[in-house]
């Protein structure tokens, strides 16, 4: 499909090379099998993680420790191309790079960085990020997971829920209350008392591992705490990184749905005409394209702000809210154009549509990002 608005003309040569490299990786390693992974509810982490590491996308926006050190637009473009394959693959990369590696890189000790970052960049160690709890999702400040000092050790007790990569992780970055406020802990998943059962029966993000985490008197050395941050700003800064990737990623999911719908509309004949020749279909396609291109512009603008060091978390809320909603609308419209075929995994559309329901909820629900914008506009907080 032509890039009518020529948005990618605004990428530089390095960013276009990353786009083409990740797009061809997705074409070779994701698209041929992702329908089966989704149907079988599995994410082939042990094959895909090292392949994504070799591709250079794990922690790609971080400097040093084997990370690529790219600019923010390049990271966004990679997320876009990965999510054109599947939101589950982009989620894996976001969690690994922005939620697990980023806090170690930003707030960790030299020993923590040396121990984990090179292996995580290579995909030979997998990370997860434990913030959400069974009873505390949108209001993590009230979390109950608690780490108590015992001599110089910490004893961790509590539970987390909906944790991407949880059951396949080698290391968990866990946020817990302490007597000093919320702290982050780098927890090897082999530590006695740690368990991570997988959550089943999901109808969204099926090609992604989602788990609970349980901590039953998990004893951690003093060196397990992230020394560089105390308080909720630690996890929130990680979420800003990951949400930025979502702003770009969902443009890829929307584009994949639009491309599937255009291609189908040109070949599916009803009433002796391709359905794409009917005005009602063209109206849908035109608005789907408008939505995809506008979401792409938003992502690019936020990327350029981030590269200039000027990105405000409220702007990320704008992008997450606007782009995920646009992508979900586009996926639903595409589904109608494909008729009955729209409900099968033979086409990518319903897979993207179902995935985007999770993307709408995780990393701050659409309601929470709406409240962020409401507060930005009025100066009045409406969370409580
Ligand atoms: C597939 C998947 C993967 C995930 N991966 C991770 C992960 O890796 N790590 C992690 O820590 N978490 C993860 N999450 C958790 C995710 O971030 C939470 O689901 C999300 O923050 C919402 O929390 P909740 O599900 O408890 O919903 P709740 O907070 O209970 O919200 C339920 C509803 O109430 C609304 N609501 C809540 N408060 C308000 C308010 N003040 N005003 C108006 N409406 C409100 C919400 O918007 C929502 O519509 C994942 C979730 C999913 C589904």
């Amino acid at each position: 499909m032509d890039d009518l608005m020529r948005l990618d003309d605004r990428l530089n040569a390095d960013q276009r090379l990353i786009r083409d490299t990740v797009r061809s990786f997705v074409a070779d390693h994701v698209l041929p099998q992702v329908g089966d992974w989704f149907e079988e509810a599995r994410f082939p982490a042990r094959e895909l993680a090292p392949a994504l590491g070799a591709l250079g996308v794990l922690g790609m926006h971080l400097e040093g420790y084997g990370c690529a050190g790219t600019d923010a637009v390049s990271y966004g473009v990679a997320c876009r191309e990965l999510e054109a394959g599947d939101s589950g693959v982009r989620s894996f990369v976001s969690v690994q790079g922005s939620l697990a590696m980023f806090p170690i890189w930003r707030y960790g000790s030299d020993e923590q960085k040396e121990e984990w970052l090179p292996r995580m960049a290579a995909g030979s160690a997998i990370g997860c990020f434990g913030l959400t709890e069974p009873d505390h999702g949108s209001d993590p400040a009230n979390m109950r997971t608690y780490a108590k000092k015992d001599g110089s050790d910490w004893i961790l007790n509590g539970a987390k829920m909906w944790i991407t990569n949880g059951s396949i992780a080698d290391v968990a970055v866990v946020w817990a209350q302490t007597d000093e406020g919320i702290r982050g802990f780098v927890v090897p998943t082999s530590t006695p008392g740690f368990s991570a059962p997988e959550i089943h029966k999901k109808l969204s993000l099926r090609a992604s591992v989602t788990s609970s985490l349980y901590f039953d008197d998990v004893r951690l050395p003093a060196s397990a705490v992230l020394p560089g941050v105390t308080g909720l700003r630690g996890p929130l800064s990680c979420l800003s990184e990951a949400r930025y990737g979502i702003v770009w990623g969902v443009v890829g999911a929307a584009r994949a749905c639009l491309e599937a719908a255009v291609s189908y509309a040109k070949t599916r004949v009803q009433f002796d005409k391709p359905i794409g020749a009917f005005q009602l279909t063209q109206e849908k396609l035109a608005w789907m394209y408008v939505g995809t291109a506008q979401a792409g512009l938003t992502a690019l603008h936020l990327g350029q702000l981030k590269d200039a060091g000027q990105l405000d978390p409220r702007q990320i809320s704008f992008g997450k809210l606007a782009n995920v909603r646009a992508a979900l609308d586009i996926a639903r419209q595409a589904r109608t154009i494909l008729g009955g075929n729209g409900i099968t995994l033979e086409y990518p559309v319903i897979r993207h549509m179902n995935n985007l329901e999770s993307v709408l909820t995780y990393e701050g629900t659409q309601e929470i990002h709406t409240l962020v914008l409401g507060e930005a506009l009025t100066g009045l907080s409406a969370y409580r």
Side-chain angles (χ1 to χ4, degrees):
M1 202 179 71
D2 287 347
D3 182 12
L4 178 68
M5 294 300 286
R6 301 182 61 173
L7 292 186
D8 277 7
D9 286 8
R10 295 169 63 173
L11 303 179
N12 65 31
D14 288 346
Q15 293 158 352
R16 272 184 240 157
L17 181 63
I18 287 172
R19 173 197 65 190
D20 295 342
T21 308
V22 178
R23 195 178 287 186
S24 95
F25 176 91
V26 168
D28 293 342
H29 296 273
V30 176
L31 291 176
Q33 303 169 74
V34 67
D36 292 338
W37 301 338
F38 190 97
E39 185 159 36
E40 295 157 16
R42 79 187 171 89
F43 178 75
R46 292 295 157 193
E47 301 99 76
L48 215 48
L52 289 164
L55 184 66
V57 295
L58 302 178
M60 66 185 279
H61 58 312
L62 308 178
E63 291 279 351
Y65 304 97
C67 303
T70 67
D71 60 18
V73 169
S74 296
Y75 174 48
V77 167
C79 288
R80 185 186 73 183
E81 298 307 322
L82 290 166
E83 195 150 353
D86 192 81
S87 302
V89 178
R90 199 270 309 141
S91 295
F92 176 86
V93 171
S94 291
V95 168
Q96 179 85 345
S98 291
L99 294 180
M101 295 173 73
F102 174 79
I104 296 173
W105 180 84
R106 170 64 73 84
Y107 306 119
S109 64
D110 288 344
E111 296 72 39
Q112 289 166 341
K113 292 177 194 179
E114 293 292 349
E115 181 177 3
W116 291 109
L117 294 180
R119 285 193 286 147
M120 292 172 84
S124 56
I126 293 174
C128 69
F129 173 90
L131 178 66
T132 306
E133 302 192 345
D135 295 331
H136 299 282
S138 298
D139 68 337
N142 284 324
M143 69 174 72
R144 283 213 291 266
T145 296
Y146 204 91
K148 195 170 161 26
K149 271 268 171 70
D150 181 37
S152 65
D153 288 352
W154 295 89
I155 308 289
L156 184 65
N157 278 291
K160 300 288 178 181
M161 195 171 180
W162 302 116
I163 307 306
T164 303
N165 296 349
S167 323
I168 55 170
D170 301 285
V171 62
V173 173
V174 177
W175 300 93
Q177 302 280 4
T178 72
D179 291 345
E180 309 157 2
I182 291 173
R183 303 294 308 257
F185 294 86
V186 179
V187 184
T189 56
S190 56
T191 311
F194 179 99
S195 58
E198 191 167 347
I199 295 173
H200 295 290
K201 300 191 177 177
K202 289 183 303 172
L203 293 178
S204 171
L205 279 188
R206 286 173 62 79
S208 172
V209 173
T210 315
S211 315
S212 299
L213 305 183
Y214 296 112
F215 320 108
D216 182 10
D217 282 335
V218 174
R219 179 173 289 274
L220 298 166
S223 60
V225 74
L226 290 171
V229 72
T230 302
L232 204 56
R233 84 181 169 85
L236 293 185
S237 65
C238 304
L239 290 171
S240 286
E241 292 293 305
R243 286 169 185 157
Y244 167 74
I246 291 174
V247 172
W248 279 91
V250 295
V251 178
R255 187 189 74 208
C257 291
L258 174 60
E259 285 174 353
V262 168
S263 154
Y264 192 85
K266 282 160 72 174
T267 53
R268 172 71 177 171
V269 174
Q270 290 293 290
F271 300 97
D272 305 321
K273 272 163 68 173
I275 58 169
F278 296 122
Q279 291 181 352
L280 287 177
T281 309
Q282 290 197 1
E283 189 195 26
K284 288 180 189 173
L285 294 173
W287 282 111
M288 288 160 67
Y289 183 66
V290 169
T292 307
Q294 286 180 333
L297 266 175
T298 297
L300 185 61
H301 177 61
L302 295 191
Q304 289 171 344
L305 285 175
K306 188 165 166 54
D307 277 328
Q310 294 170 357
L311 188 59
D312 178 321
R314 296 172 302 177
Q315 295 164 335
I316 304 178
S317 286
F318 174 103
K320 206 253 176 191
L321 178 67
N323 283 14
V324 180
R325 188 177 284 186
L328 196 49
D329 286 346
I330 289 160
R332 287 174 180 155
Q333 286 288 22
R335 224 280 315 139
T336 67
I337 291 173
L338 268 68
N341 280 319
I343 70 155
T344 77
L345 287 170
E346 296 298 320
Y347 295 86
V349 172
I350 199 158
R351 178 169 51 77
H352 283 299
M353 192 181 101
N354 281 9
N355 285 340
L356 287 166
E357 291 291 345
S358 286
V359 181
L360 192 71
T361 285
Y362 72 19
E363 309 259 355
T365 64
Q366 63 164 347
E367 292 79 9
I368 293 298
H369 290 298
T370 302
L371 296 178
V372 171
L373 292 189
E375 184 179 6
L377 293 170
T378 64
L380 303 170
S381 164
Y383 302 96
R384 302 179 180 279

